[in-house]
Amino acid sequence: MPINHPNLHLTQLAGAIPAWSGNIKPGDLQPICRNVHDGGGRLVALWGSDDREQGNGYSLHIALVNEAGLVCLSLSLPAGQPGYPDVSSIFPVANRMQRATYDLLGIYAHEGQDHRKWLRHGAWHGGSFPLRKDFDPAPSRTDDADNYHFVQVEGQGVHEIAVGPVHAGIIEPGHFRFSVVGEKMLRLEERFGYTHNGIEKRFESMSLQQGARLAGRVSGDSTVAYAWAYAMAAESIAAVTPPERALWLRALFLERERIANHLGDLGYLGNDVALSFGFTQFWILKEQVLRNNGALFGHRYLMDSIIPGGVAADLTDPGKRTLFEECSLLEREVRVLRGIYEEHAGVQDRFIGAGRIEPRLAAQLGLCGLAGRASSQAWDTRVQFPCAPYDQLDVQMATYRNGDVAARVIVRFDELFESLRLQREILARLMPGGELSLPLEKLPAQGFGAGMVEGWRGEVLVAVHTDTDGNLARVHPHDPSWQNWPAVEHAILGNIVPDFPLINKSFNLSYSGQDL
Amino acid sequence: MYQLIKQIIKTGIKTDAAPLPDEALRVTTQRLHEEILHVFGSALNIRHVDAGSCNGCELEIHSLSNAYYNIEGLGIKFVASPRHADMLLVTGPVSRHMVTALRRTFDATPEPKLVVAIGECACNGGIFCSNDGSPDGGGESYASCGRVANVIPVDVVVGGCPPTPTAILQGILTAVSAQKQ
């Protein structure tokens, strides 16, 4: 059993990754979380659901991960007083998730330290909750201002810089409140939720197939990871395994997404330290990857290429040759560019020491993904819980311990080369012929499934609950940005304001992925 | 430094030819004088506003700056403030939480100005909005106002999820070209 606790009875879920689910009582929530935390495990996601139509109240769901796999626990809450014990005192990262769950569903944590709203601004009343099944949008509408209480820093010479939601560059909207003395940053407080589009509510009116398209648009830069995680969750409920060819193609798509995003970020990191040469060079390479995607698979970002049951795009033999040539080109060029970055004194001067997250703090905050690995947090779903075909690929994890911008750049370079190696390996093993998908029209009734995929930014989780007719009752997509955004508030401490864009870019987190 | 210069010389010039304007993208009659458009056409400043997109359209707007599309080579520049801008490039269905920011950005942009809506969501609300109840397909929900035209006036729309950089460039060039009589 992944977690040893006398009151815990887990059932293993069918599917691609080791995952379990179980029901617990309110009094067991904190001890179990403590148990997982002390064993080195982490909180992946926290969400709620309205189960009143099934004659229950509400439910709180949490997804935990430890060395054995993913554990999804559910806690029934009475409809009258849907409160649950606070998790954020054990996993600090739960803070924003608990607040968002209250804004959307009206279930709340007892004894929590921070009861401010998170995803709600002023578009609907504080007393109405969009994810309740009886939510009526018309009477809930308001046009109130946000009125969010930022923590104020006082003292001689302290002043605030308010940035956003509309930023100076081509960036998603969000608000950053800096408290500074001179150039030095004393505190950063983030305010998000600007791109809240009601994605979770939208899923509830969709078919399984429409849902796959929406999952691919939770955060556009991670479309492959989301589509795969969604498909994995659906396939877990239906207890089916896609054809082998489809699995190899999914891995190919996921690595290509990682390659494209790492190339783009490495270019922008050069640009942010005034080496526009880096932007020009890396974005030429990125454009070639995108053009090959468009020509071979019909979409530059591979949107809608993964569907529940398999894939919707194939690779021909000439296409394979194109990708082998692309691998050679990228390996050769990126090696030259890495040399230039490493030997450029100005670049290294800005990279080294900026935005540092020490490994201890990273562990405390539950930092994940590439930012986590740059601070010694050795988690990579492809390595620890390799779903097919990663179980045959022996992925080498890139880790580094300095936790600064330079470390995140090194991890990106290492992962880029590893993804190119994986792409070669996948192409070599991808045999011609074979089915691309199996029919998966509808899911069994009252099922639950979870999919977890290591996207380029970190682990993407999608949880799917079906209703008594097998329709989507609740879909919760979880972005690794939930884990990593709070860390940016720590990373900037003691740095100067002009280094914020660089530090922020070195994480490159998603706004839409956490705003939902 | 030797490696850097060698790499620049080896790379050469990658830029593709720019697309021609397409009248079909224009949703309103041309509002600005031809002379103004002529000036815009040779030095255009753009302010981008993400009003609620999934960041897919942003990826392609970034691509416009790469060496293949070389948007700055056409005299078109992305600027940091709406007060410096001639055109707003707006993406996403407009989330209700972004309505005020989008309106203020529009108001802060000096006249004469142009608005180009980028992507399926900006054109009709896209996948985030149900288009069932709306008579003209604007798409709204508890969290979203749907298409950009529901909040501010739009001159040109570019569909696609996301539209290619060439399509976005074509939309921009259409907005600054004179309408054929």
Side-chain angles (χ1 to χ4, degrees), chain A residues 119-124 130 135 137 141 165-173 193-199 201-202 206 213-214 217 219-221 268 277 279 281 283-284 287-288 291 299-301 303 333 336 340 510 512, chain B residues 3-4 7-8 10-11 14 16 47-56 58-63 65-69 78-80 93-98 101 105 127-131 141-144 161-162 164-165:
Chain A
L119 287 185
R120 187 177 71 82
H121 287 201
W124 67 94
F135 174 74
R141 274 286 313 278
V166 181
H167 295 298
I170 301 164
I171 319 173
E172 297 182 75
Y194 289 94
T195 67
H196 179 70
N197 283 320
I199 289 177
K201 190 76 175 174
R202 189 81 182 103
M206 286 184 149
R213 294 193 74 236
L214 182 59
R217 284 157 183 82
S219 181
D221 54 19
Y268 262 110
F277 161 86
F279 173 81
Q281 292 288 332
W283 279 67
I284 287 172
E287 181 67 23
Q288 286 170 357
R291 286 186 176 191
H299 196 287
R300 282 162 57 91
Y301 296 91
M303 278 181 172
E333 295 290 304
V336 173
I340 291 172
S510 173
S512 58
Chain B
Q3 277 295 341
L4 195 147
Q7 182 73 10
I8 292 173
K10 204 185 78 191
T11 305
K14 299 276 186 196
D16 296 340
R47 174 64 257 188
H48 156 257
V49 183
D50 175 341
S53 92
C54 75
N55 78 33
E58 278 61 38
L59 298 174
E60 291 297 45
I61 296 174
H62 279 296
S63 294
S65 300
N66 77 28
Y68 286 90
Y69 306 101
F78 288 98
V79 293
V94 183
S95 76
R96 294 200 188 278
H97 292 163
M98 275 302 287
T105 306
I127 195 166
F128 299 107
C129 306
S130 152
N131 286 315
S141 78
Y142 82 90
S144 182
C161 183
T164 60

Side-chain angles (χ1 to χ4, degrees), chain A residues 185-430:
Chain A
M185 293 185 273
L186 296 180
R187 184 185 164 85
L188 160 65
E189 196 171 349
E190 298 156 353
R191 174 78 183 120
F192 296 140
Y194 289 94
T195 67
H196 179 70
N197 283 320
I199 289 177
E200 290 175 287
K201 190 76 175 174
R202 189 81 182 103
F203 270 117
E204 294 175 9
S205 60
M206 286 184 149
S207 68
L208 179 65
Q209 289 69 26
Q210 290 168 327
R213 294 193 74 236
L214 182 59
R217 284 157 183 82
V218 172
S219 181
D221 54 19
S222 303
T223 179
V224 173
Y226 274 98
W228 192 351
Y230 176 85
M232 197 188 277
E235 287 150 12
S236 160
I237 299 176
V240 295
T241 309
E244 202 183 331
R245 185 171 181 80
L247 294 172
W248 284 102
L249 284 167
R250 283 179 179 183
L252 178 68
F253 298 158
L254 188 69
E255 295 313 317
R256 292 186 65 72
E257 181 167 271
R258 197 181 321 276
I259 291 166
N261 278 292
H262 282 355
L263 286 171
D265 281 354
L266 286 166
Y268 262 110
L269 283 160
N271 206 49
D272 281 353
V273 295
L275 185 68
S276 55
F277 161 86
F279 173 81
T280 310
Q281 292 288 332
F282 276 107
W283 279 67
I284 287 172
L285 301 178
K286 181 179 180 183
E287 181 67 23
Q288 286 170 357
V289 174
L290 298 179
R291 286 186 176 191
N292 281 341
N293 281 348
L296 299 176
F297 307 112
H299 196 287
R300 282 162 57 91
Y301 296 91
L302 303 166
M303 278 181 172
D304 310 321
S305 299
I306 295 182
I307 53 171
V311 291
D314 199 6
L315 183 62
T316 57
D317 275 344
K320 223 185 214 184
R321 278 197 295 279
T322 306
L323 294 186
F324 272 124
E325 285 162 22
E326 181 201 84
C327 273
S328 308
L329 170 88
L330 292 179
E331 279 159 359
R332 193 176 62 234
E333 295 290 304
V334 174
R335 200 155 284 132
V336 173
L337 295 176
R338 183 176 193 163
I340 291 172
Y341 270 32
E342 280 175 355
E343 284 167 23
H344 195 291
V347 166
Q348 291 303 319
D349 184 49
R350 293 284 303 278
F351 282 179
I352 294 173
R356 174 166 286 163
I357 301 274
E358 301 281 349
R360 233 179 92 162
L361 179 63
Q364 218 174 354
L365 295 174
L367 203 66
C368 70
L370 82 92
R373 291 189 287 274
S375 294
S376 286
Q377 304 306 301
W379 292 92
D380 187 327
T381 308
R382 298 173 301 164
V383 176
Q384 270 111 345
F385 319 115
C387 65
Y390 285 105
D391 51 352
Q392 300 170 51
L393 283 172
D394 190 24
V395 177
Q396 298 298 304
M397 196 190 315
T399 58
Y400 210 68
R401 67 178 313 282
N402 272 8
D404 53 1
V405 173
R408 290 185 281 277
V409 168
I410 290 171
V411 169
R412 274 189 171 81
F413 271 118
D414 288 351
E415 291 190 353
L416 186 51
F417 285 117
E418 177 65 1
S419 288
L420 290 169
R421 184 189 74 77
L422 291 171
Q423 173 161 295
R424 276 187 187 282
E425 185 102 17
I426 293 165
L427 290 171
R429 296 201 191 193
L430 190 67

Side-chain angles (χ1 to χ4, degrees), chain A residues 166 170, chain B residues 26 31-32 36-37 39-49 61 64 71 75-91 102 105-106 108-118 152-158 167-177:
Chain A
V166 181
I170 301 164
Chain B
R26 204 189 294 273
R31 293 184 301 119
L32 304 185
I36 292 172
L37 290 176
V39 174
F40 277 178
S42 46
L44 183 73
N45 283 355
I46 301 179
R47 174 64 257 188
H48 156 257
V49 183
I61 296 174
L64 282 176
I71 193 166
I76 304 172
K77 212 169 79 176
F78 288 98
V79 293
S81 166
R83 295 189 198 284
H84 305 159
D86 310 307
M87 176 188 284
L88 295 181
L89 210 56
V90 188
T91 62
L102 178 60
T105 306
F106 180 77
T109 311
E111 295 278 2
K113 58 190 162 193
L114 293 160
V115 177
V116 178
I118 297 295
I152 56 171
V154 171
D155 295 282
V156 165
V157 296
V158 182
I168 299 172
L169 193 52
Q170 189 170 42
I172 294 168
L173 295 176
T174 302
V176 294
S177 69

Side-chain angles (χ1 to χ4, degrees), chain A residues 1-2 8-13 18-24 62 70-74 448-450:
Chain A
M1 277 290 120
L8 188 59
H9 304 288
L10 295 172
T11 324
Q12 182 148 17
L13 299 170
W20 289 263
S21 72
N23 294 311
I24 56 168
I62 59 168
L70 184 71
V71 182
C72 300
L73 302 174
S74 300
F448 169 71

